[in-house]
Amino acid sequence: MSGTDPAIVALGGGHGLYATLTAMRLLSDDVTAVVTVADDGGSSGRLRAELGILPPGDLRMAVAALLSATDPGPERSATGPGSRPPQEWATLLQHRFGGQGALAGHPVGNLLLAGLTEVTGDAVEALEMITALFGVRGRVLPMSATALTIEADVSGLEADPRISRPIRGQVAVATTPGKVRRVRLSPDDPPACAQAVDAIDNADVVVLGPGSWFSSVIPHVLVPEQLAALKRTRARKILIVNLAPEPGETAGFSVERHLHVLFAHADDFRVDHVIVDSGSVPVGREREHVERAAAQFGATLHDGKLAVPGTHTHDPGRVAALIGRLCDSEASRYRSTVGQSASETSNEGDDVEWR
């Protein structure tokens, strides 16, 4: 990786991708988000069903993440959207309508994306318009130009625990009381977003995770064209494992289990680094197991204090500091920006432990 603005592609969805994008913007202005498009719940599910568009929720959150991390700068215009601080527009995009009517629960950004998609007839063009409108530095792309459906084989729903039952839909997978064994996409050979494939091909760094493991992370290796791009790119590839298991789809999962299930879905996928929180991988036999699981991907294991203290939320400054060290800790933007941001976001931001 060279230069002060490496091309970074972050893959995921929802709150996990939001955290990754916030961290990656501390390293570069050239950040592209590639977002899952399988959501079928809440506002996204309603708009998807009613309008036949890509579910906009995770796309909106990615736009808001990049917008929140955008430096207002002295060049912003005196009138129009650019005259307001980016964080204010991010708050607007995230705002959900109240009340009891048809708009209740819809975020402003979802409706804006839905409208732009209808006007342009193309989700990628709609995203480019909204990022240009608000002066977003970075790019947001869907994983596929087609709305996808997640299907899963789940055990523990029948009297016989050996029997798996298929369930359908992201919300059903994320909230199942059973144990998710495997997921797949419908259609089973979905078309990749051409622009996302190009971004991966030309990236310096590709980051996958954290996020809902079965519904936001694993789907990225289930789109054949995108997986092919991930396998051939010359970018440094980094996998960030969740800080803790999620109720529902990964309840009771260890770090090692997270890695094994991803490997089971794409055993020819390779990454350079696996990043975990040091609190989730104690020294000793458990760490050795995790190191072996990372080695399945050809990766080395790195750990650090990555969580906001007292939470299961990644600290953007700490994540950026660790990734910056792995990729090019001497880059001028990393030294001037990440060091400052890390110290601002946590008391220990400058003391990231890694191996």
Side-chain angles (χ1 to χ4, degrees):
M1 185 174 70
S2 61
T4 58
D5 284 299
I8 301 176
V9 175
L11 299 89
H15 294 283
L17 180 60
Y18 189 103
T20 300
L21 292 173
T22 305
M24 294 304 94
R25 276 301 316 277
L26 298 177
L27 295 172
S28 176
D29 278 342
D30 187 359
V31 177
T32 298
V34 178
V35 186
T36 52
V37 286
D39 194 1
D40 60 355
S43 170
S44 288
R46 290 159 60 189
L47 293 171
R48 171 180 177 169
E50 293 173 12
L51 303 178
I53 62 172
L54 295 180
D58 286 357
L59 297 166
R60 175 204 83 242
M61 287 189 66
V63 172
L66 292 176
L67 189 53
S68 295
T70 296
D71 181 357
E75 75 282 1
R76 300 187 74 83
S77 60
T79 60
S83 64
R84 307 295 299 179
Q87 292 76 13
E88 289 188 12
W89 294 117
T91 299
L92 173 66
L93 292 178
Q94 298 281 60
H95 173 74
R96 291 180 183 271
F97 288 97
Q100 302 297 321
L103 290 179
H106 281 302
V108 172
N110 282 13
L111 299 179
L112 181 56
L113 274 172
L116 287 171
T117 300
E118 284 207 337
V119 169
T120 63
D122 182 79
V124 172
E125 186 175 351
L127 287 161
E128 289 177 345
M129 288 181 67
I130 197 171
T131 52
L133 175 65
F134 292 108
V136 176
R137 295 186 181 129
R139 197 177 189 194
V140 177
L141 297 168
M143 180 177 69
S144 173
T146 300
L148 305 176
T149 299
I150 294 177
E151 299 176 348
D153 295 325
V154 180
S155 63
L157 301 178
E158 308 289 347
D160 187 341
R162 296 170 298 179
I163 297 176
S164 292
R165 180 198 300 177
I167 62 174
R168 184 177 175 88
Q170 180 170 335
V171 173
V173 173
T175 59
T176 180
K179 294 182 178 180
V180 179
R181 299 299 185 185
R182 193 170 186 88
V183 292
R184 53 191 169 272
L185 296 177
S186 178
D188 59 5
D189 188 13
C193 172
Q195 293 90 338
V197 169
D198 288 342
I200 293 169
D201 279 335
N202 295 293
D204 295 308
V205 179
V206 172
V207 181
L208 175 62
S212 298
W213 210 244
F214 284 105
S215 51
S216 293
V217 176
I218 289 176
H220 281 282
V221 300
L222 301 181
V223 178
E225 292 175 272
Q226 182 165 291
L227 177 59
L230 288 170
K231 289 160 62 176
R232 69 174 175 259
T233 182
R234 297 173 64 88
R236 187 173 302 230
K237 288 175 284 188
I238 299 170
L239 175 65
I240 304 177
V241 183
N242 293 352
L243 293 169
E246 289 190 311
E249 62 180 70
T250 58
F253 273 37
S254 64
V255 171
E256 180 186 6
R257 180 65 176 157
H258 279 82
L259 296 176
H260 282 316
V261 295
L262 175 59
F263 185 77
H265 286 80
D267 59 10
D268 56 351
F269 177 49
R270 297 291 178 265
V271 300
D272 298 289
H273 308 291
V274 170
I275 292 177
V276 300
D277 182 69
S278 53
S280 63
V281 184
V283 176
R285 181 171 296 180
E286 183 175 347
R287 181 183 176 86
E288 293 173 0
H289 291 325
V290 175
E291 288 176 337
R292 283 197 293 270
Q296 294 179 114
F297 298 96
T300 54
L301 181 69
H302 304 269
D303 69 296
K305 295 179 180 179
L306 302 179
V308 176
T311 75
H312 289 152
T313 301
H314 280 91
D315 183 305
R318 294 177 176 188
V319 173
L322 179 49
I323 291 179
R325 288 182 180 183
L326 291 177
C327 296
D328 186 356
S329 63
E330 297 305 314
S332 60
R333 182 173 179 81
Y334 165 72
R335 289 200 309 270
S336 61
T337 305
V338 176
Q340 178 182 354
S341 299
S343 63
E344 291 174 350
T345 55
S346 76
N347 292 330
E348 301 177 26
D350 291 324
D351 188 30
V352 176
E353 296 178 2
W354 62 292
R355 293 176 178 83

